[in-house]
mmCIF file of all heavy atoms in Angstrom:
data_model
loop_
_atom_site.group_PDB
_atom_site.id
_atom_site.type_symbol
_atom_site.label_atom_id
_atom_site.label_comp_id
_atom_site.label_asym_id
_atom_site.label_seq_id
_atom_site.Cartn_x
_atom_site.Cartn_y
_atom_site.Cartn_z
ATOM 1 N N LEU W 68 67.265 153.354 -69.843
ATOM 2 C CA LEU W 68 66.390 154.058 -70.785
ATOM 3 C C LEU W 68 66.570 153.360 -72.183
ATOM 4 O O LEU W 68 67.660 153.482 -72.732
ATOM 5 C CB LEU W 68 66.755 155.514 -70.958
ATOM 6 C CG LEU W 68 65.944 156.318 -72.115
ATOM 7 C CD1 LEU W 68 64.416 156.124 -71.846
ATOM 8 C CD2 LEU W 68 66.367 157.704 -72.217
ATOM 9 N N VAL W 69 65.626 152.716 -72.588
ATOM 10 C CA VAL W 69 65.565 152.223 -74.004
ATOM 11 C C VAL W 69 65.072 153.414 -74.884
ATOM 12 O O VAL W 69 63.952 153.628 -75.053
ATOM 13 C CB VAL W 69 64.635 151.084 -74.158
ATOM 14 C CG1 VAL W 69 64.717 150.429 -75.646
ATOM 15 C CG2 VAL W 69 64.845 149.981 -73.194
ATOM 16 N N GLY W 70 66.151 154.195 -75.271
ATOM 17 C CA GLY W 70 65.850 155.522 -75.930
ATOM 18 C C GLY W 70 65.575 155.298 -77.344
ATOM 19 O O GLY W 70 66.128 154.421 -78.065
ATOM 20 N N ASP W 71 64.834 156.243 -77.897
ATOM 21 C CA ASP W 71 64.601 156.227 -79.438
ATOM 22 C C ASP W 71 65.871 156.727 -80.040
ATOM 23 O O ASP W 71 66.031 156.720 -81.252
ATOM 24 C CB ASP W 71 63.377 157.101 -79.793
ATOM 25 C CG ASP W 71 63.423 158.571 -79.297
ATOM 26 O OD1 ASP W 71 64.515 158.860 -78.645
ATOM 27 O OD2 ASP W 71 62.559 159.335 -79.533
ATOM 28 N N SER W 72 66.951 157.105 -79.271
ATOM 29 C CA SER W 72 68.275 157.252 -79.740
ATOM 30 C C SER W 72 68.859 156.046 -80.435
ATOM 31 O O SER W 72 69.759 156.219 -81.155
ATOM 32 C CB SER W 72 69.212 157.612 -78.569
ATOM 33 O OG SER W 72 69.090 156.702 -77.459
ATOM 34 N N LEU W 73 68.092 154.915 -80.332
ATOM 35 C CA LEU W 73 68.551 153.792 -81.063
ATOM 36 C C LEU W 73 68.411 153.943 -82.602
ATOM 37 O O LEU W 73 69.157 153.309 -83.352
ATOM 38 C CB LEU W 73 67.668 152.549 -80.639
ATOM 39 C CG LEU W 73 66.155 152.532 -80.912
ATOM 40 C CD1 LEU W 73 65.867 152.121 -82.250
ATOM 41 C CD2 LEU W 73 65.475 151.728 -79.917
ATOM 42 N N GLY W 74 67.613 154.954 -82.970
ATOM 43 C CA GLY W 74 67.645 155.227 -84.366
ATOM 44 C C GLY W 74 69.004 155.739 -84.827
ATOM 45 O O GLY W 74 69.297 155.476 -86.022
ATOM 46 N N MET W 75 69.690 156.337 -84.025
ATOM 47 C CA MET W 75 71.044 156.890 -84.373
ATOM 48 C C MET W 75 72.056 155.841 -84.079
ATOM 49 O O MET W 75 72.989 155.559 -84.874
ATOM 50 C CB MET W 75 71.315 158.264 -83.674
ATOM 51 C CG MET W 75 70.239 159.262 -83.916
ATOM 52 S SD MET W 75 70.337 160.620 -82.812
ATOM 53 C CE MET W 75 71.671 161.510 -83.488
ATOM 54 N N THR W 76 72.048 155.332 -82.881
ATOM 55 C CA THR W 76 73.187 154.486 -82.385
ATOM 56 C C THR W 76 73.063 152.998 -82.913
ATOM 57 O O THR W 76 74.226 152.322 -83.144
ATOM 58 C CB THR W 76 73.129 154.332 -80.832
ATOM 59 O OG1 THR W 76 71.841 153.707 -80.368
ATOM 60 C CG2 THR W 76 73.314 155.639 -80.161
ATOM 61 N N MET W 77 71.832 152.494 -83.152
ATOM 62 C CA MET W 77 71.773 151.200 -83.742
ATOM 63 C C MET W 77 71.401 151.078 -85.137
ATOM 64 O O MET W 77 71.499 150.049 -85.762
ATOM 65 C CB MET W 77 70.631 150.472 -82.951
ATOM 66 C CG MET W 77 70.952 150.460 -81.438
ATOM 67 S SD MET W 77 72.527 149.683 -80.879
ATOM 68 C CE MET W 77 71.962 147.842 -81.045
ATOM 69 N N GLN W 78 70.756 152.143 -85.733
ATOM 70 C CA GLN W 78 70.181 152.054 -87.113
ATOM 71 C C GLN W 78 70.882 152.948 -88.040
ATOM 72 O O GLN W 78 70.688 152.886 -89.185
ATOM 73 C CB GLN W 78 68.694 152.325 -86.976
ATOM 74 C CG GLN W 78 68.030 151.239 -86.186
ATOM 75 C CD GLN W 78 66.460 151.533 -86.142
ATOM 76 O OE1 GLN W 78 66.012 152.646 -86.170
ATOM 77 N NE2 GLN W 78 65.645 150.619 -86.006
ATOM 78 N N GLY W 79 71.657 153.867 -87.540
ATOM 79 C CA GLY W 79 72.440 154.831 -88.367
ATOM 80 C C GLY W 79 71.706 156.004 -89.052
ATOM 81 O O GLY W 79 72.229 156.653 -89.891
ATOM 82 N N TYR W 80 70.477 156.278 -88.379
ATOM 83 C CA TYR W 80 69.859 157.525 -88.884
ATOM 84 C C TYR W 80 70.516 158.765 -88.218
ATOM 85 O O TYR W 80 71.295 158.715 -87.384
ATOM 86 C CB TYR W 80 68.373 157.499 -88.456
ATOM 87 C CG TYR W 80 67.519 156.485 -89.046
ATOM 88 C CD1 TYR W 80 66.935 155.403 -88.288
ATOM 89 C CD2 TYR W 80 67.350 156.476 -90.443
ATOM 90 C CE1 TYR W 80 66.124 154.470 -88.927
ATOM 91 C CE2 TYR W 80 66.489 155.542 -91.095
ATOM 92 C CZ TYR W 80 65.897 154.504 -90.209
ATOM 93 O OH TYR W 80 65.135 153.518 -90.820
ATOM 94 N N SER W 81 70.186 159.919 -88.876
ATOM 95 C CA SER W 81 70.831 161.113 -88.332
ATOM 96 C C SER W 81 70.076 161.736 -87.217
ATOM 97 O O SER W 81 70.611 162.592 -86.534
ATOM 98 C CB SER W 81 70.963 162.277 -89.540
ATOM 99 O OG SER W 81 69.613 162.503 -89.916
ATOM 100 N N ASP W 82 68.849 161.250 -86.847
ATOM 101 C CA ASP W 82 68.054 161.663 -85.807
ATOM 102 C C ASP W 82 67.154 160.645 -85.365
ATOM 103 O O ASP W 82 67.208 159.460 -85.877
ATOM 104 C CB ASP W 82 67.313 162.989 -86.034
ATOM 105 C CG ASP W 82 66.402 162.930 -87.137
ATOM 106 O OD1 ASP W 82 65.868 161.715 -87.457
ATOM 107 O OD2 ASP W 82 66.113 163.962 -87.907
ATOM 108 N N THR W 83 66.191 160.848 -84.369
ATOM 109 C CA THR W 83 65.363 159.850 -83.792
ATOM 110 C C THR W 83 63.976 159.846 -84.521
ATOM 111 O O THR W 83 63.144 158.847 -84.228
ATOM 112 C CB THR W 83 65.064 160.127 -82.267
ATOM 113 O OG1 THR W 83 64.327 161.375 -82.277
ATOM 114 C CG2 THR W 83 66.366 160.241 -81.604
#
Side-chain angles (χ1 to χ4, degrees):
L68 171 63
V69 186
D71 58 2
S72 51
L73 64 86
M75 303 165 77
T76 60
M77 305 299 287
Q78 298 177 331
Y80 293 118
S81 61
D82 57 30
T83 64

